[in-house]
Amino acid sequence: MGYTIPIIIAIVIYIAVMLVIGYYAWKKNVKHTVDEYFLADRGLGVILLTGSMFATWFSTFAFIGGPATFYHTGVDWLLFSFFNVTGPILLWYFGSRIWALSNRFGHITPAQMVGDYYQSTSLRILFSIISLFAMLPYVSIQLSGVAKILDTSTAGAIPFNIGVIIIVLCVFVYSYFGGARAVVWTDGVQGFVFAIFILMTTFLVVNWAGGWFHGWEKSLSTKPEVFNFPVQGAGNYFTLQLLWTFGWVLTPHMWQRILMAKSPKVLGKTMAIATPISLWVVTFCGAVIGFLAIGLIPQLPAGTDADSILALLYTEYLPFGLVILSLATFAAGMSTVDSQLLTSSSTFTIDIYQPFNKQTVTEQKVQSIGKVFIAVFILSVMVLTLSSLGRTLLTTLASLGVGYALQFLPCLIGMIFWRKATKSAVFWGLLLGFIFMNLVEFTELGAALPWSFGGAFWGLLLNLIIFVVLSYITTPVDQKQIDAYHGYLEETFSRKARKNYGHEQPVQMK
Protein backbone atom coordinates (compact mmCIF):
# COMPACT_ATOMS: atom_id res chain seq x y z
CA MET A 1 0.00 0.00 0.00
CA GLY A 2 2.96 2.33 0.58
CA TYR A 3 1.72 5.85 1.26
CA THR A 4 -1.75 5.30 -0.15
CA ILE A 5 -3.55 5.65 3.20
CA PRO A 6 -1.77 8.90 4.20
CA ILE A 7 -2.45 10.30 0.72
CA ILE A 8 -6.15 9.46 0.97
CA ILE A 9 -6.40 10.96 4.48
CA ALA A 10 -4.60 14.13 3.39
CA ILE A 11 -6.84 14.55 0.35
CA VAL A 12 -10.01 14.02 2.42
CA ILE A 13 -8.88 16.69 4.91
CA TYR A 14 -7.91 19.03 2.08
CA ILE A 15 -11.25 18.59 0.32
CA ALA A 16 -13.05 19.28 3.60
CA VAL A 17 -11.10 22.53 4.04
CA MET A 18 -11.92 23.64 0.49
CA LEU A 19 -15.61 22.87 0.99
CA VAL A 20 -15.66 24.89 4.21
CA ILE A 21 -14.07 27.84 2.41
CA GLY A 22 -16.61 27.41 -0.39
CA TYR A 23 -19.44 27.38 2.16
CA TYR A 24 -18.37 30.65 3.76
CA ALA A 25 -17.98 32.18 0.31
CA TRP A 26 -21.53 31.09 -0.48
CA LYS A 27 -22.75 32.77 2.71
CA LYS A 28 -21.22 36.02 1.45
CA ASN A 29 -23.43 35.95 -1.66
CA VAL A 30 -26.12 38.31 -0.42
CA LYS A 31 -27.25 40.04 -3.62
CA HIS A 32 -27.91 36.83 -5.57
CA THR A 33 -27.33 38.61 -8.87
CA VAL A 34 -25.71 37.31 -12.05
CA ASP A 35 -22.78 39.71 -11.56
CA GLU A 36 -22.22 38.38 -8.05
CA TYR A 37 -22.45 34.70 -9.02
CA PHE A 38 -20.28 34.84 -12.16
CA LEU A 39 -17.98 37.84 -11.51
CA ALA A 40 -17.78 38.16 -7.70
CA ASP A 41 -19.65 41.47 -8.05
CA ARG A 42 -16.74 42.93 -10.11
CA GLY A 43 -14.98 43.83 -6.88
CA LEU A 44 -11.68 41.93 -6.64
CA GLY A 45 -8.73 43.83 -5.21
CA VAL A 46 -5.04 43.24 -5.90
CA ILE A 47 -4.49 40.42 -3.40
CA LEU A 48 -7.51 38.33 -4.37
CA LEU A 49 -7.12 38.96 -8.10
CA THR A 50 -3.40 38.12 -8.04
CA GLY A 51 -4.02 34.91 -6.10
CA SER A 52 -6.84 33.88 -8.38
CA MET A 53 -4.95 34.78 -11.57
CA PHE A 54 -1.85 32.92 -10.45
CA ALA A 55 -3.78 29.80 -9.47
CA THR A 56 -5.77 29.89 -12.71
CA TRP A 57 -2.71 30.35 -14.96
CA PHE A 58 -0.53 27.72 -13.37
CA SER A 59 -2.64 24.65 -13.33
CA THR A 60 -1.48 21.06 -13.67
CA PHE A 61 -0.36 22.15 -17.14
CA ALA A 62 2.44 24.27 -15.66
CA PHE A 63 2.88 22.34 -12.43
CA ILE A 64 3.03 18.83 -13.91
CA GLY A 65 3.16 19.41 -17.67
CA GLY A 66 5.92 22.05 -17.52
CA PRO A 67 8.65 19.89 -15.94
CA ALA A 68 7.40 16.95 -18.01
CA THR A 69 7.78 18.89 -21.26
CA PHE A 70 11.28 20.08 -20.40
CA TYR A 71 12.17 16.47 -19.56
CA HIS A 72 10.54 15.05 -22.69
CA THR A 73 11.13 17.76 -25.30
CA GLY A 74 14.17 19.66 -24.08
CA VAL A 75 15.23 23.25 -24.63
CA ASP A 76 12.46 23.92 -27.18
CA TRP A 77 10.13 24.60 -24.28
CA LEU A 78 12.35 27.43 -22.97
CA LEU A 79 10.51 29.59 -25.51
CA PHE A 80 7.59 29.32 -23.11
CA SER A 81 9.43 31.88 -20.95
CA PHE A 82 8.43 34.60 -23.45
CA PHE A 83 4.87 33.98 -22.36
CA ASN A 84 5.76 34.83 -18.76
CA VAL A 85 6.70 38.35 -19.84
CA THR A 86 4.57 39.09 -22.89
CA GLY A 87 1.45 37.32 -21.60
CA PRO A 88 0.90 39.59 -18.58
CA ILE A 89 1.77 42.69 -20.65
CA LEU A 90 -0.81 41.75 -23.29
CA LEU A 91 -3.28 40.84 -20.59
CA TRP A 92 -2.89 44.34 -19.17
CA TYR A 93 -2.99 46.09 -22.56
CA PHE A 94 -6.01 44.22 -23.91
CA GLY A 95 -7.47 43.67 -20.47
CA SER A 96 -7.77 47.32 -19.50
CA ARG A 97 -9.76 47.98 -22.68
CA ILE A 98 -11.89 44.86 -22.23
CA TRP A 99 -12.54 45.90 -18.63
CA ALA A 100 -13.51 49.43 -19.70
CA LEU A 101 -16.07 48.20 -22.25
CA SER A 102 -17.49 45.61 -19.89
CA ASN A 103 -17.79 48.18 -17.11
CA ARG A 104 -19.46 50.61 -19.49
CA PHE A 105 -21.99 48.24 -21.03
CA GLY A 106 -22.43 45.57 -18.33
CA HIS A 107 -20.99 42.61 -20.24
CA ILE A 108 -20.51 39.38 -18.31
CA THR A 109 -19.01 37.04 -20.94
CA PRO A 110 -16.62 37.49 -23.89
CA ALA A 111 -19.25 36.27 -26.37
CA GLN A 112 -21.80 38.76 -25.03
CA MET A 113 -19.32 41.60 -25.52
CA VAL A 114 -18.41 40.59 -29.08
CA GLY A 115 -22.02 39.87 -30.05
CA ASP A 116 -23.18 43.23 -28.72
CA TYR A 117 -20.54 45.22 -30.57
CA TYR A 118 -21.11 43.51 -33.92
CA GLN A 119 -24.89 43.38 -33.26
CA SER A 120 -25.02 39.71 -34.21
CA THR A 121 -26.71 36.94 -32.26
CA SER A 122 -25.28 34.32 -34.63
CA LEU A 123 -21.73 35.56 -33.97
CA ARG A 124 -22.40 35.57 -30.24
CA ILE A 125 -23.55 31.93 -30.33
CA LEU A 126 -20.65 30.84 -32.57
CA PHE A 127 -18.18 32.59 -30.28
CA SER A 128 -19.69 30.89 -27.22
CA ILE A 129 -19.64 27.43 -28.83
CA ILE A 130 -15.95 27.79 -29.73
CA SER A 131 -15.33 29.06 -26.18
CA LEU A 132 -16.74 25.81 -24.81
CA PHE A 133 -14.53 23.85 -27.21
CA ALA A 134 -11.53 25.87 -26.01
CA MET A 135 -12.27 25.04 -22.39
CA LEU A 136 -12.98 21.32 -22.83
CA PRO A 137 -9.36 20.18 -23.38
CA TYR A 138 -8.03 22.71 -20.88
CA VAL A 139 -10.32 21.42 -18.11
CA SER A 140 -9.51 17.87 -19.15
CA ILE A 141 -5.78 18.32 -18.53
CA GLN A 142 -6.49 19.31 -14.93
CA LEU A 143 -8.38 16.09 -14.28
CA SER A 144 -5.81 14.07 -16.19
CA GLY A 145 -2.84 15.63 -14.39
CA VAL A 146 -4.27 14.99 -10.93
CA ALA A 147 -5.33 11.45 -11.83
CA LYS A 148 -1.90 10.57 -13.26
CA ILE A 149 -0.12 11.75 -10.11
CA LEU A 150 -2.53 9.91 -7.80
CA ASP A 151 -2.16 6.74 -9.87
CA THR A 152 1.65 6.87 -9.81
CA SER A 153 1.94 8.07 -6.19
CA THR A 154 -0.26 5.28 -4.85
CA ALA A 155 1.23 2.59 -7.15
CA GLY A 156 -2.18 2.11 -8.75
CA ALA A 157 -4.21 1.95 -5.51
CA ILE A 158 -6.08 5.07 -6.72
CA PRO A 159 -6.28 4.30 -10.45
CA PHE A 160 -6.57 6.97 -13.11
CA ASN A 161 -10.34 6.63 -13.51
CA ILE A 162 -11.06 6.93 -9.77
CA GLY A 163 -8.78 9.98 -9.49
CA VAL A 164 -10.75 11.71 -12.24
CA ILE A 165 -14.06 11.03 -10.48
CA ILE A 166 -12.76 12.28 -7.10
CA ILE A 167 -11.71 15.70 -8.37
CA VAL A 168 -14.88 16.04 -10.48
CA LEU A 169 -17.10 15.56 -7.44
CA CYS A 170 -15.10 17.92 -5.23
CA VAL A 171 -14.87 20.84 -7.67
CA PHE A 172 -18.49 20.45 -8.72
CA VAL A 173 -19.80 20.87 -5.18
CA TYR A 174 -18.14 24.15 -4.26
CA SER A 175 -18.38 25.67 -7.78
CA TYR A 176 -22.09 24.77 -7.94
CA PHE A 177 -23.01 26.43 -4.66
CA GLY A 178 -20.43 29.15 -4.11
CA GLY A 179 -20.06 30.75 -7.53
CA ALA A 180 -17.20 33.12 -8.36
CA ARG A 181 -16.54 34.10 -4.75
CA ALA A 182 -15.97 30.47 -3.71
CA VAL A 183 -13.72 30.00 -6.73
CA VAL A 184 -11.62 33.08 -5.92
CA TRP A 185 -11.25 32.30 -2.23
CA THR A 186 -10.21 28.69 -2.78
CA ASP A 187 -7.91 29.71 -5.63
CA GLY A 188 -5.91 31.92 -3.28
CA VAL A 189 -5.27 29.03 -0.89
CA GLN A 190 -4.52 26.52 -3.63
CA GLY A 191 -2.19 28.84 -5.54
CA PHE A 192 -0.12 29.34 -2.39
CA VAL A 193 0.04 25.57 -1.79
CA PHE A 194 1.46 24.59 -5.16
CA ALA A 195 3.72 27.65 -5.49
CA ILE A 196 5.47 26.71 -2.24
CA PHE A 197 5.64 23.07 -3.30
CA ILE A 198 7.24 23.72 -6.69
CA LEU A 199 9.89 25.93 -5.05
CA MET A 200 10.59 23.23 -2.50
CA THR A 201 10.79 20.57 -5.21
CA THR A 202 13.34 22.61 -7.16
CA PHE A 203 15.74 22.73 -4.19
CA LEU A 204 15.21 19.03 -3.51
CA VAL A 205 15.91 18.02 -7.12
CA VAL A 206 19.13 20.04 -7.15
CA ASN A 207 20.16 18.23 -3.95
CA TRP A 208 19.19 14.79 -5.34
CA ALA A 209 21.23 15.50 -8.46
CA GLY A 210 24.36 16.02 -6.35
CA GLY A 211 24.42 19.78 -6.56
CA TRP A 212 23.85 22.40 -9.25
CA PHE A 213 26.92 21.82 -11.43
CA HIS A 214 27.06 18.05 -11.05
CA GLY A 215 23.36 17.77 -11.86
CA TRP A 216 23.68 19.68 -15.13
CA GLU A 217 26.79 17.77 -16.15
CA LYS A 218 25.04 14.46 -15.60
CA SER A 219 21.95 15.47 -17.56
CA LEU A 220 24.04 16.87 -20.44
CA SER A 221 26.04 13.67 -20.68
CA THR A 222 22.92 11.47 -20.39
CA LYS A 223 20.87 13.06 -23.21
CA PRO A 224 22.87 15.81 -24.94
CA GLU A 225 20.40 15.92 -27.84
CA VAL A 226 17.61 17.49 -25.74
CA PHE A 227 19.80 20.54 -25.09
CA ASN A 228 20.05 21.46 -28.78
CA PHE A 229 17.49 23.49 -30.72
CA PRO A 230 16.49 21.56 -33.87
CA VAL A 231 17.30 23.42 -37.08
CA GLN A 232 13.95 22.50 -38.68
CA GLY A 233 11.63 24.02 -36.13
CA ALA A 234 11.11 27.73 -36.85
CA GLY A 235 7.45 27.27 -37.78
CA ASN A 236 6.75 25.28 -34.65
CA TYR A 237 8.47 27.91 -32.47
CA PHE A 238 6.45 30.70 -34.07
CA THR A 239 3.20 28.80 -33.47
CA LEU A 240 4.24 28.24 -29.87
CA GLN A 241 4.71 31.98 -29.39
CA LEU A 242 1.32 32.76 -30.91
CA LEU A 243 -0.35 30.22 -28.66
CA TRP A 244 1.23 31.26 -25.39
CA THR A 245 1.04 35.02 -25.85
CA PHE A 246 -2.10 36.03 -27.78
CA GLY A 247 -3.94 32.71 -27.51
CA TRP A 248 -3.49 32.34 -23.77
CA VAL A 249 -4.71 35.91 -23.11
CA LEU A 250 -7.88 35.19 -25.10
CA THR A 251 -8.89 32.01 -23.29
CA PRO A 252 -12.45 32.60 -22.04
CA HIS A 253 -11.69 32.02 -18.35
CA MET A 254 -8.80 34.53 -18.43
CA TRP A 255 -10.97 37.05 -20.30
CA GLN A 256 -13.64 36.72 -17.64
CA ARG A 257 -11.06 37.07 -14.85
CA ILE A 258 -10.33 40.54 -16.24
CA LEU A 259 -13.95 41.53 -15.67
CA MET A 260 -13.72 40.62 -11.96
CA ALA A 261 -11.18 43.37 -11.23
CA LYS A 262 -12.33 46.35 -9.20
CA SER A 263 -10.52 48.72 -11.57
CA PRO A 264 -7.85 48.82 -14.31
CA LYS A 265 -5.37 49.99 -11.67
CA VAL A 266 -5.96 46.75 -9.78
CA LEU A 267 -5.47 44.82 -13.03
CA GLY A 268 -2.19 46.64 -13.72
CA LYS A 269 -0.79 45.98 -10.25
CA THR A 270 -1.80 42.34 -10.54
CA MET A 271 0.11 41.96 -13.81
CA ALA A 272 3.18 43.68 -12.32
CA ILE A 273 3.21 41.17 -9.46
CA ALA A 274 2.34 38.13 -11.60
CA THR A 275 5.07 38.63 -14.22
CA PRO A 276 8.14 37.94 -12.03
CA ILE A 277 6.29 35.23 -10.10
CA SER A 278 5.32 33.39 -13.27
CA LEU A 279 8.79 33.73 -14.81
CA TRP A 280 10.77 32.46 -11.83
CA VAL A 281 8.40 30.20 -9.95
CA VAL A 282 6.95 28.38 -12.93
CA THR A 283 9.27 28.50 -15.95
CA PHE A 284 12.62 28.61 -14.13
CA CYS A 285 11.64 26.00 -11.54
CA GLY A 286 9.95 23.82 -14.15
CA ALA A 287 13.07 23.90 -16.33
CA VAL A 288 15.41 23.02 -13.46
CA ILE A 289 13.21 20.12 -12.34
CA GLY A 290 12.68 18.76 -15.85
CA PHE A 291 16.27 19.07 -17.05
CA LEU A 292 17.92 17.69 -13.91
CA ALA A 293 15.42 14.82 -13.87
CA ILE A 294 17.02 13.61 -17.11
CA GLY A 295 20.14 12.64 -15.19
CA LEU A 296 18.19 11.22 -12.26
CA ILE A 297 15.70 9.13 -14.27
CA PRO A 298 17.14 8.60 -17.76
CA GLN A 299 14.39 6.17 -18.82
CA LEU A 300 10.72 6.21 -17.88
CA PRO A 301 9.30 2.96 -16.49
CA ALA A 302 7.00 0.98 -18.78
CA GLY A 303 3.40 2.17 -18.66
CA THR A 304 4.21 5.74 -17.61
CA ASP A 305 4.69 8.97 -19.54
CA ALA A 306 6.62 12.17 -18.87
CA ASP A 307 3.69 13.69 -16.93
CA SER A 308 4.54 11.28 -14.11
CA ILE A 309 8.11 12.55 -13.72
CA LEU A 310 7.46 14.42 -10.44
CA ALA A 311 5.81 11.38 -8.88
CA LEU A 312 8.67 9.17 -10.06
CA LEU A 313 11.25 11.52 -8.54
CA TYR A 314 9.53 11.53 -5.17
CA THR A 315 9.00 7.77 -5.27
CA GLU A 316 12.71 7.28 -5.83
CA TYR A 317 14.21 9.91 -3.52
CA LEU A 318 11.61 11.01 -0.95
CA PRO A 319 8.61 8.65 -0.84
CA PHE A 320 6.79 10.48 1.95
CA GLY A 321 6.84 13.58 -0.24
CA LEU A 322 4.24 11.82 -2.41
CA VAL A 323 1.64 12.89 0.16
CA ILE A 324 2.50 16.56 -0.33
CA LEU A 325 2.84 16.09 -4.09
CA SER A 326 -0.67 14.66 -4.28
CA LEU A 327 -2.07 17.60 -2.32
CA ALA A 328 -0.21 20.19 -4.40
CA THR A 329 -1.35 18.55 -7.65
CA PHE A 330 -4.91 18.48 -6.36
CA ALA A 331 -4.62 22.19 -5.58
CA ALA A 332 -3.17 22.99 -9.01
CA GLY A 333 -5.93 21.12 -10.83
CA MET A 334 -8.86 22.30 -8.75
CA SER A 335 -7.81 25.96 -8.90
CA THR A 336 -8.17 25.97 -12.68
CA VAL A 337 -11.09 23.58 -13.13
CA ASP A 338 -13.34 25.71 -10.92
CA SER A 339 -12.60 28.88 -12.94
CA GLN A 340 -13.33 27.16 -16.23
CA LEU A 341 -16.50 25.55 -14.94
CA LEU A 342 -17.83 28.94 -13.92
CA THR A 343 -16.88 30.50 -17.26
CA SER A 344 -18.42 27.67 -19.26
CA SER A 345 -21.58 27.97 -17.18
CA SER A 346 -21.92 31.70 -17.81
CA THR A 347 -21.13 31.19 -21.49
CA PHE A 348 -23.92 28.66 -21.95
CA THR A 349 -26.59 30.44 -19.92
CA ILE A 350 -25.97 34.01 -21.06
CA ASP A 351 -24.90 33.42 -24.67
CA ILE A 352 -26.75 30.30 -25.77
CA TYR A 353 -29.75 29.80 -23.47
CA GLN A 354 -30.72 33.40 -22.79
CA PRO A 355 -30.94 34.70 -26.40
CA PHE A 356 -33.64 32.11 -27.15
CA ASN A 357 -35.57 32.70 -23.93
CA LYS A 358 -35.53 36.48 -23.54
CA GLN A 359 -39.07 36.79 -22.25
CA THR A 360 -38.84 34.17 -19.49
CA VAL A 361 -35.31 34.58 -18.10
CA THR A 362 -34.77 36.19 -14.69
CA GLU A 363 -31.46 36.53 -12.86
CA GLN A 364 -32.43 33.63 -10.59
CA LYS A 365 -33.31 31.53 -13.65
CA VAL A 366 -29.94 32.29 -15.24
CA GLN A 367 -28.13 31.12 -12.10
CA SER A 368 -30.26 27.96 -11.88
CA ILE A 369 -29.60 27.04 -15.51
CA GLY A 370 -25.92 27.84 -15.01
CA LYS A 371 -25.69 25.42 -12.09
CA VAL A 372 -27.30 22.66 -14.15
CA PHE A 373 -24.86 23.30 -16.98
CA ILE A 374 -21.91 23.01 -14.57
CA ALA A 375 -22.99 19.41 -13.97
CA VAL A 376 -23.44 18.71 -17.70
CA PHE A 377 -20.11 20.28 -18.65
CA ILE A 378 -18.04 18.55 -15.97
CA LEU A 379 -19.54 15.20 -16.99
CA SER A 380 -18.58 15.91 -20.62
CA VAL A 381 -15.04 16.77 -19.55
CA MET A 382 -14.86 13.59 -17.49
CA VAL A 383 -15.80 11.53 -20.56
CA LEU A 384 -13.09 13.29 -22.61
CA THR A 385 -10.50 12.74 -19.86
CA LEU A 386 -11.26 9.04 -19.64
CA SER A 387 -10.87 8.68 -23.43
CA SER A 388 -7.56 7.99 -25.17
CA LEU A 389 -7.25 11.68 -26.15
CA GLY A 390 -7.62 12.76 -22.52
CA ARG A 391 -4.66 10.59 -21.51
CA THR A 392 -2.19 12.29 -23.87
CA LEU A 393 0.54 14.64 -22.63
CA LEU A 394 -0.88 17.68 -20.83
CA THR A 395 0.88 20.26 -22.99
CA THR A 396 -0.65 18.72 -26.14
CA LEU A 397 -4.19 19.13 -24.82
CA ALA A 398 -3.47 22.61 -23.43
CA SER A 399 -2.15 23.78 -26.80
CA LEU A 400 -5.33 22.59 -28.51
CA GLY A 401 -7.58 24.62 -26.21
CA VAL A 402 -5.40 27.74 -26.43
CA GLY A 403 -5.29 27.33 -30.23
CA TYR A 404 -9.08 27.56 -30.35
CA ALA A 405 -8.95 30.73 -28.24
CA LEU A 406 -6.36 32.23 -30.61
CA GLN A 407 -9.07 32.35 -33.29
CA PHE A 408 -10.78 35.12 -31.27
CA LEU A 409 -7.99 37.60 -32.04
CA PRO A 410 -9.61 39.21 -35.15
CA CYS A 411 -12.89 39.65 -33.20
CA LEU A 412 -11.02 41.58 -30.53
CA ILE A 413 -8.98 43.63 -33.03
CA GLY A 414 -12.17 44.81 -34.72
CA MET A 415 -13.90 45.62 -31.46
CA ILE A 416 -11.17 47.71 -29.86
CA PHE A 417 -8.81 48.85 -32.66
CA TRP A 418 -10.10 48.64 -36.25
CA ARG A 419 -13.29 50.52 -37.11
CA LYS A 420 -13.64 48.89 -40.55
CA ALA A 421 -14.28 45.37 -39.20
CA THR A 422 -17.70 43.96 -40.12
CA LYS A 423 -19.82 41.26 -38.50
CA SER A 424 -19.76 39.13 -41.68
CA ALA A 425 -15.95 39.30 -41.77
CA VAL A 426 -15.63 38.34 -38.13
CA PHE A 427 -18.24 35.56 -38.30
CA TRP A 428 -16.91 33.82 -41.42
CA GLY A 429 -13.27 34.31 -40.44
CA LEU A 430 -13.91 32.76 -37.02
CA LEU A 431 -15.98 29.85 -38.34
CA LEU A 432 -13.69 28.89 -41.23
CA GLY A 433 -10.52 29.48 -39.20
CA PHE A 434 -11.84 27.16 -36.48
CA ILE A 435 -12.78 24.48 -39.02
CA PHE A 436 -9.44 24.74 -40.84
CA MET A 437 -7.49 24.48 -37.59
CA ASN A 438 -9.28 21.23 -36.77
CA LEU A 439 -8.61 19.84 -40.25
CA VAL A 440 -4.90 20.56 -39.85
CA GLU A 441 -4.83 19.07 -36.34
CA PHE A 442 -6.85 15.92 -36.91
CA THR A 443 -6.39 14.95 -40.58
CA GLU A 444 -3.49 14.34 -42.94
CA LEU A 445 -3.78 17.93 -44.18
CA GLY A 446 -1.23 19.09 -41.60
CA ALA A 447 1.49 16.90 -43.09
CA ALA A 448 0.77 18.27 -46.57
CA LEU A 449 1.21 21.93 -45.61
CA PRO A 450 4.67 23.57 -45.93
CA TRP A 451 7.07 24.35 -43.08
CA SER A 452 6.26 23.23 -39.56
CA PHE A 453 3.50 25.60 -38.48
CA GLY A 454 0.79 24.10 -36.32
CA GLY A 455 -2.95 24.03 -36.84
CA ALA A 456 -3.49 27.12 -34.67
CA PHE A 457 -1.28 29.20 -36.99
CA TRP A 458 -2.98 28.03 -40.19
CA GLY A 459 -6.42 28.57 -38.69
CA LEU A 460 -5.52 32.10 -37.61
CA LEU A 461 -3.94 32.92 -40.99
CA LEU A 462 -7.09 31.94 -42.89
CA ASN A 463 -9.17 33.74 -40.26
CA LEU A 464 -7.20 36.98 -40.70
CA ILE A 465 -7.33 36.85 -44.50
CA ILE A 466 -11.11 36.44 -44.49
CA PHE A 467 -11.43 39.08 -41.78
CA VAL A 468 -9.52 41.73 -43.75
CA VAL A 469 -10.96 40.96 -47.21
CA LEU A 470 -14.61 40.76 -46.16
CA SER A 471 -14.28 43.87 -44.00
CA TYR A 472 -13.70 45.88 -47.17
CA ILE A 473 -16.60 44.41 -49.16
CA THR A 474 -19.40 43.79 -46.63
CA THR A 475 -21.72 46.07 -44.66
CA PRO A 476 -19.92 47.80 -41.80
CA VAL A 477 -21.06 47.90 -38.20
CA ASP A 478 -23.59 50.66 -37.46
CA GLN A 479 -21.77 53.98 -37.04
CA LYS A 480 -23.47 54.68 -33.71
CA GLN A 481 -22.14 51.38 -32.41
CA ILE A 482 -18.63 52.17 -33.64
CA ASP A 483 -18.72 55.57 -31.98
CA ALA A 484 -20.10 54.12 -28.75
CA TYR A 485 -17.27 51.58 -28.41
CA HIS A 486 -14.29 53.07 -30.21
CA GLY A 487 -15.17 56.59 -29.19
CA TYR A 488 -15.37 55.58 -25.56
CA LEU A 489 -12.02 53.76 -25.72
CA GLU A 490 -10.33 56.68 -27.50
CA GLU A 491 -11.67 59.10 -24.92
CA THR A 492 -10.81 56.85 -21.97
CA PHE A 493 -7.29 55.94 -23.10
CA SER A 494 -6.18 59.30 -24.43
CA ARG A 495 -2.99 60.59 -22.85
CA LYS A 496 -4.86 63.12 -20.75
CA ALA A 497 -7.54 60.67 -19.60
CA ARG A 498 -5.01 57.99 -18.59
CA LYS A 499 -3.68 60.24 -15.83
CA ASN A 500 -6.99 60.04 -14.00
CA TYR A 501 -8.14 56.64 -15.21
CA GLY A 502 -7.86 53.41 -13.29
CA HIS A 503 -10.03 53.97 -10.28
CA GLU A 504 -13.28 52.16 -9.63
CA GLN A 505 -16.15 53.29 -11.81
CA PRO A 506 -19.82 52.28 -11.71
CA VAL A 507 -21.12 49.86 -14.29
CA GLN A 508 -23.27 51.65 -16.83
CA MET A 509 -25.70 49.16 -18.30
CA LYS A 510 -26.29 49.51 -21.99
Side-chain angles (χ1 to χ4, degrees), residues 231-242 450-454 457:
V231 177
Q232 305 86 5
N236 181 55
Y237 300 149
F238 184 73
T239 303
L240 183 67
Q241 292 309 302
L242 276 177
W451 309 299
S452 54
F453 294 111
F457 166 82

Side-chain angles (χ1 to χ4, degrees), residues 244-479:
W244 296 108
T245 51
F246 291 99
W248 168 81
V249 170
L250 296 174
T251 52
H253 62 289
M254 292 307 304
W255 190 318
Q256 200 167 52
R257 269 294 180 281
I258 292 167
L259 309 186
M260 294 183 183
K262 184 181 291 186
S263 70
K265 180 174 285 188
V266 167
L267 188 63
K269 289 179 179 178
T270 296
M271 294 306 103
I273 296 170
T275 297
I277 291 176
S278 62
L279 180 61
W280 292 104
V281 174
V282 179
T283 301
F284 176 76
C285 291
V288 171
I289 294 169
F291 286 142
L292 295 189
I294 293 172
L296 294 170
I297 304 178
Q299 296 295 328
L300 293 170
T304 63
D305 58 29
D307 287 331
S308 301
I309 192 63
L310 277 178
L312 293 171
L313 285 169
Y314 273 95
T315 300
E316 180 71 22
Y317 295 98
L318 187 63
F320 185 75
L322 291 170
V323 178
I324 306 174
L325 171 63
S326 300
L327 281 182
T329 307
F330 221 80
M334 287 170 59
S335 64
T336 301
V337 171
D338 54 17
S339 303
Q340 292 161 332
L341 280 181
L342 202 66
T343 298
S344 63
S345 173
S346 63
T347 296
F348 176 79
T349 53
I350 293 172
D351 300 314
I352 298 177
Y353 176 82
Q354 194 169 0
F356 294 104
N357 299 272
K358 293 181 179 179
Q359 304 302 319
T360 60
V361 175
T362 62
E363 290 207 346
Q364 289 71 28
K365 184 72 169 179
V366 168
Q367 291 181 58
S368 297
I369 296 297
K371 289 178 177 180
V372 171
F373 185 75
I374 285 177
V376 173
F377 189 75
I378 195 64
L379 286 174
S380 301
V381 174
M382 186 173 71
V383 171
L384 172 62
T385 308
L386 295 175
S387 70
S388 57
L389 178 61
R391 295 170 186 256
T392 57
L393 289 176
L394 302 187
T395 50
T396 303
L397 276 175
S399 297
L400 181 64
V402 174
Y404 290 148
L406 182 62
Q407 306 310 313
F408 298 145
L409 183 59
C411 302
L412 182 64
I413 289 173
M415 185 174 67
I416 66 178
F417 295 120
W418 198 39
R419 289 172 173 258
K420 289 184 178 294
T422 71
K423 65 180 180 182
S424 296
V426 170
F427 178 87
W428 289 108
L430 179 59
L431 177 61
L432 296 178
F434 174 72
I435 292 172
F436 192 58
M437 176 186 164
N438 281 290
L439 290 174
V440 174
E441 290 286 346
F442 297 110
T443 70
E444 297 300 319
L445 179 61
L449 292 172
W451 309 299
S452 54
F453 294 111
F457 166 82
W458 291 111
L460 179 63
L461 179 61
L462 178 62
N463 189 344
L464 285 169
I465 291 171
I466 294 171
F467 170 68
V468 172
V469 172
L470 288 186
S471 289
Y472 280 103
I473 61 176
T474 56
T475 305
V477 175
D478 183 82
Q479 189 60 44

